[in-house]
Short mmCIF file of all heavy atoms in Angstrom, two decimals:
data_model
loop_
_atom_site.label_atom_id
_atom_site.label_comp_id
_atom_site.label_asym_id
_atom_site.label_seq_id
_atom_site.Cartn_x
_atom_site.Cartn_y
_atom_site.Cartn_z
N VAL A 224 0.86 -1.17 0.00
CA VAL A 224 0.01 -0.03 0.03
C VAL A 224 0.94 1.24 0.04
O VAL A 224 1.68 1.51 1.00
CB VAL A 224 -0.95 0.02 1.26
CG1 VAL A 224 -1.78 1.22 1.26
CG2 VAL A 224 -1.86 -1.20 1.25
N LEU A 225 0.86 2.00 -1.09
CA LEU A 225 1.85 3.11 -1.21
C LEU A 225 1.16 4.40 -1.11
O LEU A 225 0.06 4.61 -1.45
CB LEU A 225 2.55 2.92 -2.73
CG LEU A 225 3.12 1.56 -3.08
CD1 LEU A 225 3.56 1.80 -4.56
CD2 LEU A 225 4.30 1.36 -2.31
N GLY A 226 1.96 5.38 -0.47
CA GLY A 226 1.51 6.74 -0.49
C GLY A 226 1.31 7.37 -1.80
O GLY A 226 2.10 7.26 -2.58
N ASP A 227 0.32 8.20 -1.99
CA ASP A 227 0.13 8.95 -3.21
C ASP A 227 0.54 10.37 -3.10
O ASP A 227 1.08 10.64 -2.03
CB ASP A 227 -1.37 8.81 -3.74
CG ASP A 227 -2.31 9.39 -2.64
OD1 ASP A 227 -1.92 9.89 -1.64
OD2 ASP A 227 -3.53 9.21 -2.90
N ALA A 228 0.43 11.10 -4.03
CA ALA A 228 0.96 12.54 -4.12
C ALA A 228 0.33 13.28 -2.89
O ALA A 228 0.97 14.04 -2.13
CB ALA A 228 0.75 13.18 -5.43
N PRO A 229 -1.04 13.27 -2.71
CA PRO A 229 -1.63 14.00 -1.63
C PRO A 229 -1.07 13.61 -0.27
O PRO A 229 -0.94 14.37 0.68
CB PRO A 229 -3.11 13.77 -1.76
CG PRO A 229 -3.23 13.53 -3.19
CD PRO A 229 -2.05 12.73 -3.60
N PHE A 230 -0.79 12.30 -0.13
CA PHE A 230 -0.27 11.78 1.25
C PHE A 230 1.10 12.55 1.46
O PHE A 230 1.26 12.95 2.49
CB PHE A 230 -0.07 10.35 1.07
CG PHE A 230 0.60 9.67 2.23
CD1 PHE A 230 -0.02 9.52 3.45
CD2 PHE A 230 2.03 9.29 2.10
CE1 PHE A 230 0.67 8.90 4.55
CE2 PHE A 230 2.65 8.69 3.23
CZ PHE A 230 2.09 8.53 4.39
N TYR A 231 1.98 12.52 0.45
CA TYR A 231 3.31 13.06 0.72
C TYR A 231 3.24 14.46 0.83
O TYR A 231 4.14 15.15 1.53
CB TYR A 231 4.34 12.63 -0.36
CG TYR A 231 4.67 11.26 -0.03
CD1 TYR A 231 4.20 10.04 -0.71
CD2 TYR A 231 5.63 10.92 0.96
CE1 TYR A 231 4.55 8.81 -0.51
CE2 TYR A 231 5.98 9.61 1.24
CZ TYR A 231 5.47 8.63 0.52
OH TYR A 231 5.85 7.30 0.94
N GLN A 232 2.40 15.17 0.19
CA GLN A 232 2.22 16.60 0.33
C GLN A 232 1.72 17.03 1.75
O GLN A 232 2.21 17.91 2.29
CB GLN A 232 1.14 17.25 -0.63
CG GLN A 232 1.67 17.11 -2.00
CD GLN A 232 0.60 17.40 -3.18
OE1 GLN A 232 -0.64 17.65 -2.83
NE2 GLN A 232 0.95 17.36 -4.39
N ALA A 233 0.96 16.06 2.26
CA ALA A 233 0.47 16.19 3.69
C ALA A 233 1.64 16.05 4.67
O ALA A 233 1.77 16.79 5.70
CB ALA A 233 -0.68 15.39 4.01
N LEU A 234 2.45 15.15 4.36
CA LEU A 234 3.57 15.04 5.24
C LEU A 234 4.67 16.09 5.12
O LEU A 234 5.22 16.41 6.16
CB LEU A 234 4.43 13.67 4.84
CG LEU A 234 3.79 12.32 5.61
CD1 LEU A 234 4.63 11.17 5.08
CD2 LEU A 234 3.87 12.51 7.10
N ARG A 235 4.79 16.60 4.04
CA ARG A 235 5.87 17.64 3.83
C ARG A 235 5.47 18.98 4.53
O ARG A 235 6.31 19.90 4.82
CB ARG A 235 5.99 17.97 2.29
CG ARG A 235 6.74 16.89 1.60
CD ARG A 235 7.03 17.29 0.03
NE ARG A 235 7.50 16.22 -0.72
CZ ARG A 235 8.86 15.75 -0.68
NH1 ARG A 235 9.59 16.46 0.08
NH2 ARG A 235 9.22 14.88 -1.43
N ARG A 236 4.23 19.13 4.94
CA ARG A 236 3.89 20.29 5.65
C ARG A 236 4.52 20.27 7.07
O ARG A 236 4.62 21.40 7.73
CB ARG A 236 2.42 20.40 5.83
CG ARG A 236 1.71 19.57 6.81
CD ARG A 236 0.28 19.89 7.05
NE ARG A 236 -0.47 19.14 8.01
CZ ARG A 236 -1.09 18.05 7.87
NH1 ARG A 236 -1.18 17.45 6.67
NH2 ARG A 236 -1.68 17.43 8.86
N PHE A 237 4.99 19.12 7.54
CA PHE A 237 5.74 19.09 8.81
C PHE A 237 7.21 19.40 8.54
O PHE A 237 7.88 18.65 7.68
CB PHE A 237 5.67 17.67 9.45
CG PHE A 237 4.22 17.35 9.85
CD1 PHE A 237 3.46 16.44 9.03
CD2 PHE A 237 3.57 17.96 10.83
CE1 PHE A 237 2.12 16.11 9.21
CE2 PHE A 237 2.29 17.58 11.20
CZ PHE A 237 1.57 16.68 10.43
N GLU A 238 7.79 20.35 9.23
CA GLU A 238 9.06 20.72 9.02
C GLU A 238 10.11 19.68 9.18
O GLU A 238 11.13 19.54 8.56
CB GLU A 238 9.43 21.97 9.82
CG GLU A 238 8.83 23.27 9.53
CD GLU A 238 9.21 24.50 10.21
OE1 GLU A 238 10.18 24.33 11.06
OE2 GLU A 238 8.62 25.54 10.14
N TRP A 239 9.81 18.78 10.13
CA TRP A 239 10.80 17.74 10.53
C TRP A 239 10.88 16.61 9.43
O TRP A 239 11.81 15.74 9.49
CB TRP A 239 10.44 17.07 11.86
CG TRP A 239 8.88 16.80 12.02
CD1 TRP A 239 8.05 17.38 12.74
CD2 TRP A 239 8.15 15.73 11.44
NE1 TRP A 239 6.79 16.80 12.67
CE2 TRP A 239 6.84 15.85 11.95
CE3 TRP A 239 8.51 14.69 10.59
CZ2 TRP A 239 5.91 14.97 11.57
CZ3 TRP A 239 7.49 13.76 10.15
CH2 TRP A 239 6.22 13.99 10.65
N TYR A 240 9.88 16.55 8.52
CA TYR A 240 9.96 15.52 7.47
C TYR A 240 11.11 15.40 6.66
O TYR A 240 11.60 14.54 6.23
CB TYR A 240 8.65 15.59 6.72
CG TYR A 240 8.43 14.29 5.81
CD1 TYR A 240 8.31 13.20 6.34
CD2 TYR A 240 8.61 14.52 4.38
CE1 TYR A 240 8.24 11.99 5.48
CE2 TYR A 240 8.62 13.41 3.57
CZ TYR A 240 8.29 12.25 4.13
OH TYR A 240 8.31 11.13 3.26
N HIS A 241 11.69 16.71 6.32
CA HIS A 241 12.84 16.72 5.54
C HIS A 241 13.90 17.70 6.28
O HIS A 241 14.04 18.85 5.97
CB HIS A 241 12.61 17.40 4.14
CG HIS A 241 12.40 16.33 3.08
ND1 HIS A 241 13.24 15.35 2.71
CD2 HIS A 241 11.24 16.06 2.35
CE1 HIS A 241 12.71 14.53 1.80
NE2 HIS A 241 11.43 14.95 1.58
N PRO A 242 14.60 17.11 7.31
CA PRO A 242 15.53 17.96 7.96
C PRO A 242 16.62 18.44 6.99
O PRO A 242 17.17 17.67 6.10
CB PRO A 242 16.14 17.02 9.12
CG PRO A 242 15.76 15.60 8.50
CD PRO A 242 14.60 15.75 7.72
N SER A 243 17.05 19.60 7.12
CA SER A 243 17.98 20.30 6.19
C SER A 243 19.51 19.69 6.32
O SER A 243 20.21 19.68 5.37
CB SER A 243 18.14 21.72 6.24
OG SER A 243 18.37 22.08 7.59
N ARG A 244 19.72 19.12 7.53
CA ARG A 244 21.07 18.76 7.68
C ARG A 244 21.02 17.22 8.11
O ARG A 244 20.39 16.86 9.17
CB ARG A 244 21.78 19.41 8.69
CG ARG A 244 23.26 18.81 9.03
CD ARG A 244 23.99 19.74 9.94
NE ARG A 244 25.22 18.99 10.41
CZ ARG A 244 26.43 19.03 9.63
NH1 ARG A 244 26.44 19.67 8.49
NH2 ARG A 244 27.49 18.56 10.06
N LYS A 245 21.67 16.33 7.48
CA LYS A 245 21.58 14.89 7.76
C LYS A 245 23.11 14.38 7.57
O LYS A 245 23.74 14.72 6.53
CB LYS A 245 20.61 14.13 6.88
CG LYS A 245 19.16 14.53 7.02
CD LYS A 245 18.33 13.57 6.35
CE LYS A 245 18.15 12.39 7.07
NZ LYS A 245 17.03 11.43 6.55
N LEU A 246 23.60 13.60 8.41
CA LEU A 246 24.98 13.21 8.47
C LEU A 246 25.13 12.17 7.15
O LEU A 246 26.31 12.13 6.72
CB LEU A 246 25.28 12.38 9.75
CG LEU A 246 25.30 13.37 10.95
CD1 LEU A 246 25.68 12.59 12.21
CD2 LEU A 246 26.43 14.43 10.82
N GLU A 247 24.17 11.52 6.85
CA GLU A 247 24.33 10.63 5.58
C GLU A 247 24.71 11.60 4.34
O GLU A 247 25.46 11.20 3.51
CB GLU A 247 23.10 9.79 5.33
CG GLU A 247 21.90 10.60 5.05
CD GLU A 247 20.65 9.62 4.81
OE1 GLU A 247 20.87 8.38 4.37
OE2 GLU A 247 19.52 10.08 4.97
N HIS A 248 24.15 12.72 4.32
CA HIS A 248 24.40 13.78 3.24
C HIS A 248 25.91 14.12 3.28
O HIS A 248 26.63 14.21 2.36
CB HIS A 248 23.45 14.97 3.25
CG HIS A 248 22.11 14.57 2.85
ND1 HIS A 248 21.05 15.51 3.06
CD2 HIS A 248 21.50 13.40 2.25
CE1 HIS A 248 19.92 14.91 2.47
NE2 HIS A 248 20.13 13.59 2.16
N VAL A 249 26.19 14.52 4.50
CA VAL A 249 27.71 14.93 4.71
C VAL A 249 28.72 13.90 4.34
O VAL A 249 29.62 14.23 3.70
CB VAL A 249 27.81 15.36 6.28
CG1 VAL A 249 29.30 15.76 6.51
CG2 VAL A 249 26.87 16.48 6.63
N HIS A 250 28.35 12.67 4.88
CA HIS A 250 29.39 11.59 4.43
C HIS A 250 29.36 11.35 2.86
O HIS A 250 30.49 11.27 2.31
CB HIS A 250 29.07 10.31 5.22
CG HIS A 250 29.86 9.05 4.95
ND1 HIS A 250 31.12 9.04 5.19
CD2 HIS A 250 29.60 8.04 4.12
CE1 HIS A 250 31.79 7.98 4.97
NE2 HIS A 250 30.91 7.35 4.11
N ALA A 251 28.23 11.18 2.33
CA ALA A 251 28.20 10.94 0.87
C ALA A 251 28.85 12.01 0.10
O ALA A 251 29.50 11.74 -0.95
CB ALA A 251 26.74 10.64 0.46
N ALA A 252 28.63 13.33 0.55
CA ALA A 252 29.21 14.44 -0.26
C ALA A 252 30.73 14.34 -0.13
O ALA A 252 31.42 14.71 -1.08
CB ALA A 252 28.77 15.76 0.30
N SER A 253 31.31 13.79 0.94
CA SER A 253 32.78 13.61 1.01
C SER A 253 33.37 12.67 0.00
O SER A 253 34.57 12.65 -0.35
CB SER A 253 33.22 13.27 2.42
OG SER A 253 32.82 11.78 2.69
N LEU A 254 32.56 11.78 -0.63
CA LEU A 254 32.95 10.82 -1.57
C LEU A 254 32.86 11.29 -3.08
O LEU A 254 33.56 10.77 -3.88
CB LEU A 254 32.06 9.54 -1.48
CG LEU A 254 32.09 8.83 -0.14
CD1 LEU A 254 31.06 7.71 -0.15
CD2 LEU A 254 33.44 8.48 0.30
N ALA A 255 32.27 12.51 -3.26
CA ALA A 255 32.10 13.01 -4.53
C ALA A 255 33.35 13.92 -4.87
O ALA A 255 33.79 14.75 -4.11
CB ALA A 255 30.88 13.97 -4.66
N LYS A 256 33.88 13.65 -6.10
CA LYS A 256 35.13 14.38 -6.47
C LYS A 256 34.72 15.52 -7.49
O LYS A 256 33.79 15.30 -8.31
CB LYS A 256 36.01 13.38 -7.07
CG LYS A 256 36.52 12.37 -6.06
CD LYS A 256 37.48 11.39 -6.79
CE LYS A 256 37.82 10.30 -5.73
NZ LYS A 256 38.69 9.16 -6.37
N PRO A 257 35.54 16.53 -7.64
CA PRO A 257 35.21 17.63 -8.47
C PRO A 257 35.16 17.12 -10.03
O PRO A 257 35.91 16.32 -10.40
CB PRO A 257 36.32 18.53 -8.36
CG PRO A 257 36.73 18.32 -6.99
CD PRO A 257 36.61 16.93 -6.69
N GLY A 258 34.15 17.60 -10.73
CA GLY A 258 33.95 17.14 -12.12
C GLY A 258 33.12 15.92 -12.24
O GLY A 258 32.93 15.54 -13.43
#
């Protein structure tokens, strides 16, 4: 049973749903090389 577009739009109204800083992003970015 999968969420549809209105379901995720409802979740996105909560600020905590997409925290701007996550350590997984920080670590993965360290693996990316210029170019």
Side-chain angles (χ1 to χ4, degrees):
V224 177
L225 305 175
D227 56 9
F230 171 77
Y231 282 103
Q232 288 168 5
L234 273 180
R235 287 185 190 279
R236 76 174 187 264
F237 297 103
E238 291 185 6
W239 46 255
Y240 185 67
H241 269 296
S243 59
R244 177 176 173 80
K245 299 188 76 173
L246 293 178
E247 61 180 337
H248 290 168
V249 176
H250 177 75
S253 72
L254 303 176
K256 300 175 182 177

